[in-house]
Amino acid sequence: MFRTALRNVLAHKARLLMTVLAVMLGVAFVSGTLVFTDTLSQAFRNQSAKSYDDVAVAVSLRPNPEEAVKNPGLSQRTVDEVAKLDGVTAVAPRVDGFAGVPDEKGKLIGVGWSNKGTNFAPGKDGKDPALAFTTGHGPTAADQVALDKDTADKGGYEVGDRVRVATNGPVKEFTLSGVFTTEDGAVNAGGSLVVFDAPVAQKLYLKPGYYSDLNVTAAPGADAEKLRDEVLKVIPKAATAQTGQGLADEQARQIESGLGALNQTLLGFAGIALFVGVFLISNTFTMLVAQRTKELALMRAVGASRRQITRSVLIEAGIVGVLASAVGYLLGIGLAVALRSGMAAFDMKVPDGSLVLGVTPVAAAFGVGVVITMLAAWLPGRRAAKIPPVAAMNSVHATPNTKSLVVRNAIGAAITAIGAVLIVLGANTGGDEGRMTIAGGAFATLIGIIVLIPFLSRPVIALIRPFFVKAFGISGKLAGLNAVRNPRRTGATASALAIGLTLVTGLTVIGVSAGQALDKMTVDQIRADYMVTMASGNSLSQEALRALEKAPGVTAVSPQQAGAFDLKGKYVSASGVTPGDIEKVLKVEVVNGSLASLGEGRIAVADKTATSRGLKVGSSVPVEYLDKKKGTLTVGAIYQDSEFLSPVLVDAKILDAHDPQPYIPQIFVSTDGGPSDANEQALAKAMGDNPAITVLDKKDIRDTFGGQINLLLNIMYGLLAMALIIAVLGVVNTLAMSVFERQQEIGMIRAIGLDRRRVKRMVRLEAVVISVFGAVVGIGLGTFLAWALGKTFESSLPGYGLVVPWDRVGVFLVLAALVGVLASLWPARSAAKLNMLSAIKAE
């Protein structure tokens, strides 16, 4: 049987090619993902360990704002006491925060959150153990800074140049004293590192004379854990101390956790690709078995048992699986290398390290590839074993009987109904529990549709067929009839496309619906021409607010300063705003009272908060501020709730009096004449052309909130492309097999007058019919799932409503038809080239 199986594989190389490609692509996705994440994980672990090579104990003290008033950090006295401990050879104290520098065009180098500033911490030898200077030296004066090599190269900076440095305060100029390389995480994440003289860094980020971290270096052979215990005795109780090895291990675990989510996501899409591939594999072996009916029946007649016939088919599948897995694994290694290079191309710096080729990716590649192929071939193999020897006397294999079709359709309808009920139930339940129910229902519905799809093919294609007949005549009529001639084959082929388009449509509908809800919640609430923020996500300074108020052409300015206070026994978030300007820059719909009362020291309260606290215009309420001071405020206005506004609006000056470091995430600005290049430049100039401050117009704001959704959708489309490619291969495979089986028929219709051009058109239209059928099923199911999922989070996203993007749905249908046309090129050409007489004589 092994020799027979091998002979059959070699005899049907061309027909098995699509199966090999489908398995190969799925295996490449799986093995590439595992190799990529293993390589990335190892590189980051090595980098983490390297960054703590010289650190025996790491001390940290980062108190919350309330505690920071009494104990802001680690004092110089603490540093000196740690340095005196036995076994300590050096102590490197650190303080850090945001710092960024511009490139030659004035744009911030890095991505904001990964732009970091710290202090120079030289040891007794005058060198900082965390920095390896390639040119120059560390900053030794208040007007000097050092930069990491990548940032210096991107900005075109050399030692001696003047560098503009942006922090949370005004931009200042420094002289570049040196350029260094480092293993710092900010730099390795694609950001920048600016190193200041210690007193300057302390003044910028904490308080003169204080640090937030200490890196302790021990003498060779010293016990790090004993040294940590000694360190704990001399540092403040609020501080933490950990061995360098322990810290490196903790970071390694965090890296593993972070990459684990990426790994699971990629493997999930690989699973989808393989699931789609199952239909192609099963279809291929079903057709091969049907074409070899006489051969298999003859083998039964000469003594082969049913088990041997099934085993023969499974051995064929195993040979195909091994071959496809081997090629797929090699392709996966290439994919891992390409992903790593792609990250570097997008400025996502990856630590240096060799490619990790472990046992797991190899085992997964061959395990998944061979098992999936053999499982997909098992049912066709079982059908082959049931072929009776008497079938060798017939030229046509028996078609499925009516009973088997009725049973199949009944089972499919029952599973689909159960899945639909679960989906509706999950939509009404909502929350995480509802989403889990929907996931189970979606899986059941998908399986049910796959089982039922041969039955659906006839009525759906019957609706499409008249259009093809009217547009393409006899070719269109024959294409429609051929598409429903073998409903199982058509259904299996269309299922692959349906699965891919179910996911694509579902993601698109949810993404578009969420995007419009975010627009209503954000952009539609903004009347201002500009929103000013820090690129780092940190607070804007009071200086920036005052500068904007004085900028030429500005007609209204208001911050949305974050604050909170105890209001009638419960803490409530509040926004500090500018009275008289807030209603000009944000949409505030007043229900009762007047926002002008904010200028009189009163507060405005959202209507739901007012109702729950029993407040109305004129109510006097006791409050307790963050600094624990108490007072009384009067309600001057009630306004409609908005997700973009806090429950309470108050004059920013009132919050400033109780918060020495106010947090201002954004400032809204209206200008004379509306948005223009001149007004935008005037605002930037007023703030000192600070590269860390971003001035966004309404389009930029929309892109900021909605762009993340579009980026996520594009990534999902890219990952689902693998499944769609496999679906295309399925269409090619089905048509090729169909043409092979219908040689006599094609020869006959050629003989009675159908020319080659019409034969090509017939095959192409058949492919289009199958593809559009799969697309219609996928789009319908995807929209249904998107509706259900949307119902589970519409309460947490006000303004959310189902939006079906008909333009994109139309594009999906057109692309499905195009897929059919492209997939039919080779089969159509083969059909048109058939010799009429040879085809008529073919069995």
Side-chain angles (χ1 to χ4, degrees):
M1 280 301 171
F2 179 80
R3 287 197 301 271
T4 301
L6 185 59
R7 176 184 61 81
N8 286 328
V9 169
L10 294 175
H12 301 109
K13 295 187 292 292
R15 298 180 215 174
L16 289 169
L17 177 62
M18 298 303 169
T19 296
V20 171
L21 287 174
V23 178
M24 181 185 72
L25 290 174
V27 168
F29 213 150
V30 172
S31 58
T33 295
L34 293 174
V35 170
F36 173 65
T37 51
D38 284 351
T39 299
L40 224 60
S41 178
Q42 185 64 45
F44 279 116
R45 279 200 302 269
N46 290 342
Q47 181 194 73
S48 177
K50 188 176 179 181
S51 64
Y52 290 104
D53 271 349
D54 298 325
V55 178
V57 179
V59 181
S60 180
L61 177 57
R62 295 175 182 266
N64 60 46
E66 292 180 12
E67 296 172 344
V69 176
K70 297 180 180 179
N71 193 9
L74 301 163
S75 66
Q76 185 62 48
R77 179 181 176 183
T78 301
V79 175
D80 294 339
E81 288 180 352
V82 172
K84 293 176 184 177
L85 294 173
D86 291 338
V88 174
T89 58
V91 177
R94 304 284 182 193
V95 60
D96 55 53
F98 169 77
V101 297
D103 58 18
E104 295 175 348
K105 296 181 180 179
K107 300 295 184 182
L108 185 69
I109 298 173
V111 289
W113 59 268
S114 61
N115 295 113
K116 180 180 170 184
T118 189
N119 61 285
F120 184 52
K124 296 176 182 178
D125 57 359
K127 296 180 180 179
D128 189 322
L131 312 173
F133 281 87
T134 56
T135 57
H137 55 81
T140 55
D143 68 338
Q144 293 181 344
V145 293
L147 293 177
D148 67 275
K149 190 176 185 303
D150 286 348
T151 302
D153 290 343
K154 290 175 184 176
Y157 296 112
E158 296 180 353
V159 173
D161 288 349
R162 295 291 285 175
V163 181
R164 299 175 69 245
V165 180
T167 58
N168 291 338
V171 177
K172 294 181 180 179
E173 280 199 356
F174 297 84
T175 299
L176 184 62
S177 66
V179 176
F180 56 85
T181 58
T182 179
E183 295 297 331
D184 187 274
V187 176
N188 288 315
S192 63
L193 181 61
V194 182
V195 177
F196 300 92
D197 186 37
V200 175
Q202 289 174 330
K203 185 177 180 181
L204 282 172
Y205 301 127
L206 201 56
K207 187 177 180 180
Y210 286 89
Y211 299 93
S212 53
D213 300 280
L214 305 179
N215 288 337
V216 182
T217 304
D223 188 322
E225 292 189 2
K226 288 183 179 179
L227 183 58
R228 179 198 59 196
D229 294 339
E230 293 299 317
V231 168
L232 284 169
K233 295 176 182 178
V234 299
I235 62 176
K237 290 183 179 180
T240 60
Q242 197 171 359
T243 63
Q245 182 61 50
L247 202 57
D249 292 342
E250 183 180 329
Q251 286 198 1
R253 285 192 293 271
Q254 291 174 352
I255 291 166
E256 290 283 354
S257 176
L259 290 177
L262 173 65
N263 195 26
Q264 290 173 7
T265 300
L266 292 175
L267 286 176
F269 283 97
I272 293 169
L274 286 168
F275 185 56
V276 171
V278 166
F279 297 97
L280 193 159
I281 299 164
S282 182
N283 224 10
T284 300
F285 280 95
T286 297
M287 289 185 280
L288 286 175
V289 167
Q291 291 169 12
R292 290 162 48 203
T293 298
K294 292 178 69 175
E295 174 192 335
L296 294 172
L298 188 59
M299 290 174 65
R300 288 291 315 282
V302 297
S305 66
R306 289 187 174 184
R307 182 176 298 177
Q308 286 177 313
I309 296 295
T310 303
R311 190 184 306 156
S312 173
V313 175
L314 291 178
I315 290 172
E316 288 180 46
I319 294 170
V320 171
V322 169
L323 177 63
S325 297
V327 179
Y329 174 68
L330 295 175
L331 190 62
I333 294 174
L335 179 63
V337 173
L339 284 171
R340 186 170 177 174
S341 301
M343 290 182 71
F346 284 98
D347 288 333
M348 298 171 68
K349 191 172 179 182
V350 180
D352 293 331
S354 58
L355 204 64
V356 177
L357 302 177
V359 176
T360 303
V362 178
F366 283 89
V368 168
V370 175
V371 170
I372 289 292
T373 309
M374 293 183 71
L375 282 176
W378 176 77
L379 191 58
R382 189 168 174 271
R383 287 178 187 155
K386 291 182 177 181
I387 297 174
V390 73
M393 304 300 294
N394 301 317
S395 60
V396 180
H397 183 43
T399 57
N401 57 46
T402 304
K403 181 180 178 181
S404 69
L405 292 176
V406 170
V407 170
R408 177 189 177 118
N409 293 338
I411 292 172
I415 296 173
T416 303
I418 292 170
V421 169
L422 287 174
I423 291 171
V424 173
L425 182 63
N428 291 326
T429 302
D432 291 337
E433 184 181 346
R435 284 188 279 274
M436 291 298 293
T437 305
I438 290 172
F443 182 75
T445 303
L446 204 56
I447 296 298
I449 290 292
I450 290 167
V451 174
L452 201 59
I453 206 166
F455 170 75
L456 296 174
S457 64
R458 289 187 181 277
V460 174
I461 292 176
L463 293 173
I464 302 172
R465 191 166 59 206
F467 168 77
F468 287 96
V469 174
K470 187 175 182 180
F472 303 103
I474 189 64
S475 296
K477 182 177 181 179
L478 290 173
L481 292 172
N482 289 334
V484 294
R485 176 180 294 183
N486 191 328
R488 280 185 174 175
R489 182 186 302 168
T490 298
T493 305
S495 293
L497 276 170
I499 292 167
L501 281 170
T502 295
L503 297 172
V504 168
T505 304
L507 289 170
T508 301
V509 172
I510 289 176
V512 171
S513 301
Q516 290 202 11
L518 282 174
D519 266 1
K520 291 178 183 177
M521 193 173 73
T522 55
V523 180
D524 292 352
Q525 297 291 322
I526 299 173
R527 290 175 174 169
D529 299 319
Y530 297 100
M531 182 174 78
V532 179
T533 64
M534 287 289 290
S536 61
N538 293 336
S539 172
L540 288 155
S541 65
Q542 295 276 18
E543 289 86 348
L545 177 60
R546 286 192 286 268
L548 288 170
E549 290 172 342
K550 297 176 182 177
V554 170
T555 57
V557 177
S558 178
Q560 197 173 25
Q561 181 176 323
F565 43 66
D566 188 311
L567 184 71
K568 294 190 73 173
K570 291 184 180 179
Y571 266 95
V572 63
S573 61
S575 288
V577 300
T578 301
D581 283 359
I582 181 61
E583 61 266 39
K584 297 176 183 177
V585 297
L586 292 178
K587 185 178 180 181
V588 186
E589 298 185 11
V590 178
V591 177
N592 198 4
S594 171
L595 288 179
S597 62
L598 292 173
E600 302 168 3
R602 298 191 175 194
I603 59 173
V605 183
D607 52 2
K608 288 184 180 178
T609 303
T611 301
S612 64
R613 306 290 172 90
L615 302 177
K616 59 184 180 180
V617 173
S619 298
S620 293
V621 288
V623 297
E624 182 177 275
Y625 300 98
L626 291 177
D627 59 359
K628 302 302 180 183
K629 292 184 179 179
K630 297 181 179 180
T632 301
L633 293 173
T634 303
V635 178
I638 306 292
Y639 61 91
Q640 283 187 7
D641 277 86
S642 166
E643 289 296 317
F644 203 67
L645 296 170
S646 297
V648 175
L649 300 181
V650 62
D651 189 341
K653 293 178 181 177
I654 294 176
L655 294 181
D656 291 344
H658 302 278
D659 189 354
Q661 294 181 325
Y663 179 67
I664 306 175
Q666 61 258 334
I667 300 172
F668 296 95
V669 183
S670 290
T671 55
D672 189 12
S676 67
D677 291 341
N679 281 335
E680 188 171 333
Q681 290 172 8
L683 296 180
K685 187 175 181 180
M687 293 180 292
D689 290 318
N690 190 328
I693 296 179
T694 306
V695 179
L696 306 171
D697 60 19
K698 283 198 173 183
K699 180 180 180 302
D700 295 328
I701 297 169
R702 179 171 277 108
D703 291 342
T704 299
F705 290 102
Q708 295 176 359
I709 293 176
N710 291 330
L711 176 62
L712 183 62
L713 280 177
N714 290 333
I715 292 172
M716 295 298 183
Y717 290 159
L719 293 172
L720 287 170
M722 187 72 74
L724 293 176
I725 290 171
I726 293 174
V728 172
L729 294 178
V731 178
V732 175
N733 201 38
T734 296
L735 291 175
M737 293 291 190
S738 180
V739 168
F740 177 82
E741 288 179 349
R742 288 163 27 214
Q743 288 186 70
Q744 281 188 335
E745 176 189 322
I746 292 171
M748 288 294 294
I749 61 178
R750 284 288 317 283
I752 61 175
L754 198 68
D755 58 21
R756 290 185 174 181
R757 181 172 58 85
R758 290 182 179 178
V759 169
K760 283 184 180 179
R761 184 185 298 167
M762 176 187 72
V763 177
R764 287 173 186 160
L765 291 175
E766 183 180 346
V768 171
V769 168
I770 294 172
S771 299
V772 171
F773 167 53
V776 168
V777 173
I779 289 169
L781 185 55
T783 304
F784 177 50
L785 289 175
W787 164 81
L789 285 171
K791 293 287 287 183
T792 64
F793 56 74
E794 64 180 4
S795 60
S796 59
L797 186 59
Y800 180 88
L802 183 69
V803 178
V804 180
W806 295 110
D807 53 342
R808 298 196 191 187
V809 169
V811 169
F812 295 158
L813 286 172
V814 171
L815 288 176
L818 183 61
V819 161
V821 172
L822 293 175
S824 68
L825 291 178
W826 173 50
R829 189 167 178 269
S830 299
K833 289 177 68 177
L834 284 175
N835 181 281
M836 285 184 285
L837 295 178
S838 299
I840 291 171
K841 290 190 296 181
E843 291 189 9

